[in-house]
Amino acid sequence: PDYQNLLVEQHDRVLLVRLNRPKQLNALNDALMDELGAALTAADADESIGCIVITGSERAFAAGADISAMASWTYMDVYRTDYITRNWEALRRIRKPVIAAVAGYALGGGCELAMMCDILIAGQGAKFGQPEVKLGILPGAGGTQRLPRAVGKAKAMDLCLTARNMSAEEAERAGLISRVVPDDQLVSEALAMATQISGMSLPIIMMIKESVNRAYEAPLSEGLLFERRVFHAAFATEDQKEGMAAFLEKRPAQFKHQ
Ligand code: HXC
């Protein structure tokens, strides 16, 4: 499909999605979010894709929801149409792994979008923040919920209440992101990581994602039970037979994603 606000490329089994409103620092408007929801939903259904990377430009992953669009909205506008937030649920339903590769600003909805991804990696110059308070609003796509789960209450309150930015180093120390890499290697590192993931058994990768996410939704006893059930299900895959045979035969596994 022809996207107006995204650049999409496939590299082997990896889909690379670039947010592409560079003049607005990738401010997230409904048109962009509609396209992102469509692109990710299509990738989830596409058997040739095993992992998805979302990135922005060197200056900005995304500087937040589009303030020029939001400025005149009334309560009834946002309540009745669910502007902006309506597509975010679609992102939650993606079952394949999604990596956020963040360079530059990831602010407001941009930080929230990154936090919806399964793995965050960032360039050294990345900046994360929830500056909504300065605009007279609050985070609306999970910032007050996912940030404390990722970095703890103290730092989440600090960021949401003061609107200050957090560096990539601080974000890594706090546990928001998994790796910091040189800015000019961000996309290549993200693609390397995604290529590695997409070479594993896709059904097993999906089971792992589902199981790790349970850690956020369920008490420990339920999460452990879920993991046990999915662990048993892994033995129903051909890829389990292949993976273990390959180990015993001292050769690389050739997964068939079934
Ligand atoms: C609309 C934006 C924008 C945004 C930047 N731009 N962020 N437009 N919405 N969120 C536009 C600017 O207006 C400007 O347009 C151009 O992008 C370049 O930005 P500058 O401000 O000139 O760049 P710079 O001085 O480098 O400052 C970068 C910045 C600043 C620190 C990121 O742009 C900024 O503070 N942006 C807003 C960040 C923010 O408050 N985000 C939270 C939004 S609320 P022109 O036309 O002048 O060149 C939110 C709620 C989410 O996200 C709710 C749930 C979905």
Side-chain angles (χ1 to χ4, degrees), residues 45-252:
D46 182 339
E47 289 191 2
S48 73
I49 292 168
C51 190
I52 300 159
V53 175
I54 302 178
T55 195
S57 67
E58 282 169 25
R59 242 183 113 194
F61 178 76
D66 192 322
I67 300 167
S68 58
M70 289 188 292
S72 61
W73 286 352
T74 67
Y75 173 77
M76 269 303 133
D77 290 334
V78 288
Y79 180 75
R80 282 174 30 188
T81 64
D82 204 7
Y83 273 136
I84 296 278
T85 44
R86 67 177 180 230
N87 276 299
W88 299 72
E89 283 299 306
L91 306 194
R92 268 190 79 195
R93 283 194 296 272
I94 303 303
R95 298 172 72 204
K96 292 174 184 173
V98 183
I99 299 170
V102 176
Y105 295 107
L107 302 180
C111 186
E112 292 173 306
L113 174 61
M115 288 193 290
M116 275 186 198
C117 298
D118 302 305
I119 305 175
L120 282 76
I121 71 171
Q124 279 160 342
K127 290 179 169 56
F128 297 86
Q130 298 288 164
E132 286 90 342
V133 63
K134 281 206 293 192
L135 299 168
I137 57 169
L138 60 148
T144 66
Q145 302 303 303
R146 291 197 177 92
L147 197 57
R149 282 170 164 82
V151 304
K153 176 178 165 181
K155 205 177 276 288
M157 283 285 191
D158 174 351
L159 290 162
C160 292
L161 297 179
T162 70
R164 79 172 173 88
N165 289 346
M166 173 163 72
S167 68
E169 283 75 10
E170 183 180 357
E172 187 187 28
R173 232 185 306 129
L176 180 66
I177 65 180
S178 74
R179 302 183 193 177
V180 182
V181 300
D183 285 313
D184 60 358
Q185 289 165 33
L186 176 68
V187 173
S188 60
E189 288 282 334
L191 284 175
M193 186 187 221
T195 300
Q196 193 175 15
I197 292 169
S198 68
M200 308 292 181
S201 165
L202 178 59
I204 298 296
I205 289 286
M206 289 164 62
M207 288 178 196
I208 293 170
K209 170 168 171 168
E210 205 177 6
S211 202
V212 172
N213 279 335
R214 272 291 157 130
Y216 288 93
E217 307 282 353
L220 181 62
S221 57
E222 288 299 318
L224 290 170
L225 179 62
F226 183 85
E227 184 195 69
R228 179 88 49 91
R229 293 285 170 257
V230 180
F231 176 74
H232 291 161
F235 289 84
T237 64
E238 289 179 28
D239 287 339
Q240 174 266 328
K241 299 290 176 293
E242 165 61 12
M244 294 191 180
F247 175 81
L248 294 173
E249 291 161 18
K250 303 190 189 300
R251 61 173 175 82

